[in-house]
Structure formats: C-alpha cells, structure tokens
Amino acid sequence: MPAPEPLNVARPDSERAELLLWMNEELRAAYGPKPLSPRRDPLHELISTILSQRTNWRDEDAAYQELRALGDWDDIIAAPVEAVAHAIRRSNYPESKAPRIQATLRAIRDSPGGYSLDFLRDLPVGDALKWLTDLPGVGVKTASLVLLFNYARPVFPVDTHVHRINTRVGTIPRMGEQAAHRALLKLLPPDPPLLYELHINLLKHGQQICTWNRPKCPQCILRERCDAHAIYGNNVPSFSEKPGKSKN
Ligand code: SF4
C-alpha cells in the first residue's frame, strides 16, 4: 500500500511557499484582484488598528470618529484620559487603549518627523518595524499594516483570519500570531502588491468561509489542499487561539 501523502505542515519550505502562491491565485479568482492602494492616512491607519483590537469595524470606526471629534492630535494628547476613554468607548477595553493611544501620539509628536510618518518609506524595513513596535500600544500587526498599506513595504500583516486559515491549511505549524508574521514572510516573495492582495483576500475568506466556528468547508476553494480538511473532512473543529496579547 502506498504511503499516505504528508500533511502540508510537514513539507519543506519550498512546497509551503508554492502552496501560498496557489492560495493567492485561488483567492484572487474567487474574490477578485486587490490593487495596493492606501485606504486611509498613516496615522489614521495606526490609531484605527489599535482601536480595532477585539472590536468589529463599525465600532472601530465610530470610536475613531468620536476620538477625532475631541480636536486635533495635540488636543487628544492634552485631553483627560477619561475623556479619551469615553470617546473610544465603542472599542473594547477603552480604559487600557486610551492611555496607550495618548502615549503613542505623544511619542510620534516628539519624533523627528512630527505627526508625519513618511520617513518610514525610506528606512530599512527592519528599522521601520522596530521604530513602530517601540511605540506604546503598537505591535507587529499594526506596524506591518501601516508599512504595507501606506508605504508599500514588503511585510505581511497577520490578523486573526490570516493566522487561522494558514494554520488550518498547514502553511505554518500552530504558533502565535506574532511568530506567524516571521514564518509566513519567510515563505512569501518580497512583493508588496502580492502581499497586500493575499492579506485582503484571506481576510474575506476568513469572514465568509473559513470562519472561527464551523468553517464552511464544502464551499471552500482551498479544500483540496487543506490539512484540516484532510484530517477532519467537513467537520473541522472551532479554532482555538492562544490568549490575547497586549499589543496588536
Ligand atoms: S477547507 Fe475548511 S478548514 Fe480548510 S481553509 Fe477551507 S474552510 Fe478552512
């Protein structure tokens, strides 16, 4: 009897790199091409991503709009922390996010570029990631989103959808989101338009098909090469994540 095919997760890097490119092709066919273009200005992207932690996009946007209603960035820094927490109350954990947002804005204001982050366009990628992740409340996901979306730098943001799908398909072994940034980037080409398209289409696939609970495997275009489907068939269990981190 022939030996069973190994799972993706047990295959060499080169095969898992090819699998990611195949996934990008399949997802593009299903959800359409996604040209890389900034969706909002860099500081908006950064603050909104902090607000988005454990929060749906409607509440994130409402929190951002109310925050901006407090005034300009200087006014938000100078406002009582309770006023900032009240303004962002539709985001989860407003009491912990409010001081982090103020501290982040203060550090950016005091940086050489002031409120402009455009110097990140020319820094080496590693230095740009370090500068951003040294800010209070900014983790590797937020930093990667700003660098890829706003400055077309070759990094790959890993959110809950990107993490879950790649873990189930087996492009990466089970690991935390932070480690997944490094593991996936190692397998992907340094091609910002491709990285952007894959990120956005994985997000769509995670929202619509490969959901946290009861993924819709019979409708999934990745099914034929998915480790979780090979193991569980159409009864893939709910995804269990590691405990949340303080920075995203
Ligand atoms: S086959 Fe199922 S578990 Fe695998 S990627 Fe598709 S929806 Fe997710």
Side-chain angles (χ1 to χ4, degrees):
M1 203 165 93
E5 288 284 309
L7 292 172
N8 296 320
V9 75
R11 293 175 188 262
D13 284 5
S14 59
E15 291 186 28
R16 287 180 292 116
E18 182 278 325
L19 177 58
L20 278 161
L21 297 181
W22 174 82
M23 287 166 65
N24 189 48
E25 296 291 324
E26 295 296 311
L27 292 166
R28 184 195 298 130
Y31 301 110
K34 299 290 180 296
L36 172 53
S37 63
R39 57 181 178 179
R40 43 202 185 189
D41 74 65
L43 210 40
H44 184 167
E45 189 72 56
L46 189 128
I47 299 300
S48 286
T49 309
I50 295 172
L51 291 170
S52 74
Q53 191 181 10
R54 309 286 175 206
T55 302
N56 68 49
W57 71 266
R58 275 194 196 85
D59 287 338
E60 168 213 310
D61 189 55
Y64 183 82
Q65 299 308 332
E66 282 209 46
L67 178 70
R68 294 313 311 268
L70 293 176
D72 62 20
W73 296 122
D74 284 335
D75 295 329
I76 293 167
I77 291 171
V81 69
E82 297 79 15
V84 174
H86 180 75
I88 63 168
R89 64 193 175 283
R90 284 185 61 180
S91 171
N92 276 323
Y93 313 117
E95 289 80 13
S96 67
K97 287 177 183 173
R100 282 162 51 202
I101 286 171
Q102 286 183 304
T104 291
L105 288 171
R106 205 174 292 120
I108 292 171
R109 178 198 64 193
D110 296 342
S111 72
Y115 289 120
S116 170
L117 298 176
D118 287 353
F119 68 95
L120 296 172
R121 197 189 305 278
D122 302 315
L123 275 188
V125 170
D127 293 351
L129 272 174
K130 175 160 184 355
W131 190 88
L132 283 166
T133 54
D134 280 348
L135 294 170
V138 177
V140 65
K141 182 183 88 177
T142 305
S144 300
L145 281 170
V146 171
L147 290 177
L148 178 62
F149 286 23
N150 292 98
Y151 298 111
R153 306 307 302 275
V155 291
F156 190 60
V158 177
D159 68 0
T160 184
H161 303 292
V162 174
H163 180 232
R164 182 174 64 254
I165 297 168
N166 279 286
T167 305
R168 282 175 169 162
V169 171
T171 56
I172 50 172
R174 185 164 284 272
M175 60 175 70
E177 282 183 25
Q178 192 148 339
H181 280 84
R182 285 188 295 276
L184 285 167
L185 196 54
K186 203 173 97 179
L187 299 173
L188 286 161
D191 177 351
L194 183 147
L195 297 168
Y196 178 83
E197 182 173 74
L198 181 59
H199 173 88
I200 297 292
N201 281 336
L202 282 169
L203 188 88
K204 287 200 168 297
H205 197 61
Q207 289 167 336
Q208 296 176 18
I209 303 292
C210 192
T211 46
W212 178 82
N213 197 14
R214 295 190 192 156
K216 302 175 183 68
C217 300
Q219 300 169 38
C220 179
I221 37 126
L222 307 178
R223 170 175 89 242
E224 66 185 87
R225 296 185 69 181
C226 174
D227 277 358
H229 189 260
I231 296 168
Y232 299 108
N234 289 332
N235 297 304
V236 171
S238 299
F239 190 70
S240 66
E241 290 185 88
K242 304 270 183 211
K245 303 179 292 296
S246 59
K247 288 176 98 185
N248 68 336

